[in-house]
Amino acid sequence: MEERQLEIANRMKNLIWTVCGDYSMEAKPDVDGFLRCKYLALYDGIKQGAFAKYFDKEQLSLYLVKKVYLQAREEPLLGIARLCMEESVGKRISRERKGVDSIRKKAYEYLLDHELHQMTRSELGRLQIALMRNCLMGEQQQEQRLQERIDSLKELQQANTTMEIIRKIDECYNEWVDPKFETMHGSLEQVLAVTLEELTEYNWRDFLTEEMYEENFAAYLEQMSEQMTATGGVESSDEQKKTFRRQVIRVSEEELKKVYTYVELNFGKTYLNPLEEKKLNYQLCRGVHGDCGLYFTDGILERPVKRNYQLEYAKKQREKNKYVYYDNHRVVKHNIQILTDILKKAMAMRMESCDIIADRGVLRPERLWRVGRSRDARLFTRTEKQDGNAFVVDLLIDASGSQRVRQEKVVLQAYIIMEALSRVGIPHRVMSFCTFWDHTILQRFREYDEDASANERIFSFTTSSNNRDGLAIRAASLGLLEREEDHKIMIILSDGRPYDVILNRPNARNPLPYQGEYAVKDTGLEVRRLRNYGISVLGVFVGEEKELEAEKKIFGKDFAYIRDISNFSKIVGRYLTKQMEENN
């Protein structure tokens, strides 16, 4: 049996190489599939070789992985990709090699005989049935919806580039499977902008076959590449659908030495000297964060190490952020004015004089009865003026990859808040946080007492990687606790999902992966610690509704759930006004 399998594998490899014309290509023959139905396995091998001949298989498989990373459903996405790939190469390779048409028809007959029931259970399956019957029995008239989809796929018969196929897959998925995908998770450009660093930090284990469990991104990419050319049912059963899960990434001593270099290259040089950095890491990276590091920076655009991809991407994102601002500048300025007026009114009320009972001032005859009868010597009234400038604000923004789909809107809302606070003279600092490998990155956009010109730096906001909320809050609170103002406020914008992969350092204490209840509990403890110090903490939640319970556990009653990031500045304005009124 073993010899028979080797013989089949060699025959199929030769077939793939012959079709492709490149004998150095790494062919993936489906031997088990051949033993089940040789025509189906042969046709899959032919498609594999044909696609490699005309297009870039790696480019397509990487797009699919990025789309899944941004929460596309794997099975229907793969199903659409298979249909698109077949339309792009099927007739082309049949014209070149006459025997292919016969093999394809026999493969289709097998599927219609053995998998028809399963395929009729989904819209994509019914579309595949219609396409196969058109091939076997000639063009047939279909219902309008189905015919429109068939016509859309046929456009790929003229495709000349891989990007044309990618655009068609993306268009079909967004239209047929998830019409809200672009709004909720991002356009094709945002999908393609996902970095390899972000992909490698996810654990793809739940998407992998058992023999690949010890691997991660590379194994999933390879598996996705293999599955693209399969000519089977386009969707798996519900039991086979999986979700993301994280794991600990293991690094060697040599890799560990490079981590700091990677951080500098991706986020710019730190503004701390080595001694300050070491002191802060020693002070803050304890307990559940014991194997982590902190990195304080003004961003790659302010202090780049060298010109690289990340620097160019940051420049493009800054221009994109500015373009969105210029496109909406009237609305933004109007909102700045509204928020400014609200804050001015609240501060004016605090500045009003009020009479208080005191031990000196103007004598109150009606209180003289207390003399000799009470230890309360407050027999006078005194007029006091409230201090309207006794507030300081920290704005801490989650800059992890989950914010990518709304990053331009986050910039606009943060800018509105910064401008309004600057106009009323409330000191405020704005920072973002994300976690890259074992370093939590805190990027500073403005310091407390800088003038309004510093607000422009928020346009450099970009998103990347994971988020270790507890450590970020702990680090950001240091500056706030050192301020002299009586009333300190921290506002945290996040998706309510602390989520980080821990690097398994050599000889480390191996803490648990920072996720789920473990991470929520730690972040909640940091929030309560700040409140015990008298800091008012507001959580502004922009994540999925299913994460609301976690947000409540973290922030208690002081959190706001906004479905639209455009309400961020309004929520913050109401909270600041409330704090001023309560402390009056």
Side-chain angles (χ1 to χ4, degrees), residues 159-342:
N160 294 311
T161 66
T162 311
M163 187 51 66
E164 289 177 70
I165 300 171
I166 289 172
R167 290 193 183 282
K168 178 59 71 174
I169 295 170
D170 205 69
E171 172 194 316
C172 293
Y173 180 88
N174 293 347
E175 184 180 336
W176 302 348
V177 179
D178 188 355
K180 293 183 179 179
F181 184 89
E182 194 162 333
T183 304
M184 299 293 293
H185 306 293
S187 64
L188 175 59
E189 285 65 34
Q190 288 168 307
V191 172
L192 297 175
V194 172
T195 64
L196 290 175
E197 287 84 0
E198 291 173 271
L199 296 177
T200 53
E201 287 187 354
Y202 269 103
N203 171 29
W204 302 88
R205 174 168 176 164
D206 283 339
F207 288 85
L208 297 171
T209 55
E210 287 185 16
E211 61 270 19
M212 291 180 172
Y213 265 17
E214 293 304 314
E215 305 297 332
N216 203 309
F217 164 62
Y220 181 62
L221 182 63
E222 181 183 351
Q223 182 175 291
M224 181 71 84
S225 181
E226 289 176 27
Q227 292 175 351
M228 289 190 306
T229 49
T231 314
V234 293
E235 282 203 70
S236 298
S237 62
D238 290 338
E239 291 76 17
Q240 292 174 308
K241 293 173 185 174
K242 308 287 187 177
T243 53
F244 287 110
R245 197 165 66 198
R246 302 285 180 131
Q247 70 175 10
V248 174
I249 292 177
R250 295 170 176 81
V251 294
S252 64
E253 288 279 10
E254 185 180 349
E255 290 172 318
L256 189 60
K257 292 174 184 176
K258 296 177 182 177
V259 170
Y260 196 87
T261 303
Y262 292 154
V263 172
E264 276 192 325
L265 287 170
N266 281 275
F267 298 95
K269 295 177 183 177
T270 179
Y271 56 76
L272 298 178
N273 63 48
L275 187 61
E276 290 173 324
E277 190 174 59
K278 187 175 181 180
K279 180 181 175 182
L280 282 173
N281 276 286
Y282 178 77
Q283 182 181 352
L284 299 172
C285 298
R286 294 172 174 270
V288 299
H289 310 295
D291 288 314
C292 302
L294 284 162
Y295 191 81
F296 294 81
T297 178
D298 287 323
I300 193 170
L301 292 174
E302 294 290 323
R303 303 194 66 190
V305 176
K306 67 177 184 179
R307 186 172 179 179
N308 59 5
Y309 167 79
Q310 198 62 31
L311 177 62
E312 295 306 312
Y313 172 74
K315 287 178 180 177
K316 287 180 181 177
Q317 186 59 46
R318 179 175 60 185
E319 292 309 309
K320 191 174 180 181
N321 292 337
K322 285 184 176 181
Y323 175 80
V324 173
Y325 166 72
Y326 293 134
D327 203 37
N328 297 274
H329 72 279
R330 286 191 178 87
V331 176
V332 172
K333 287 181 178 178
H334 179 65
N335 279 289
I336 291 169
Q337 192 57 54
I338 290 173
L339 184 53
T340 302
D341 291 342
I342 291 171

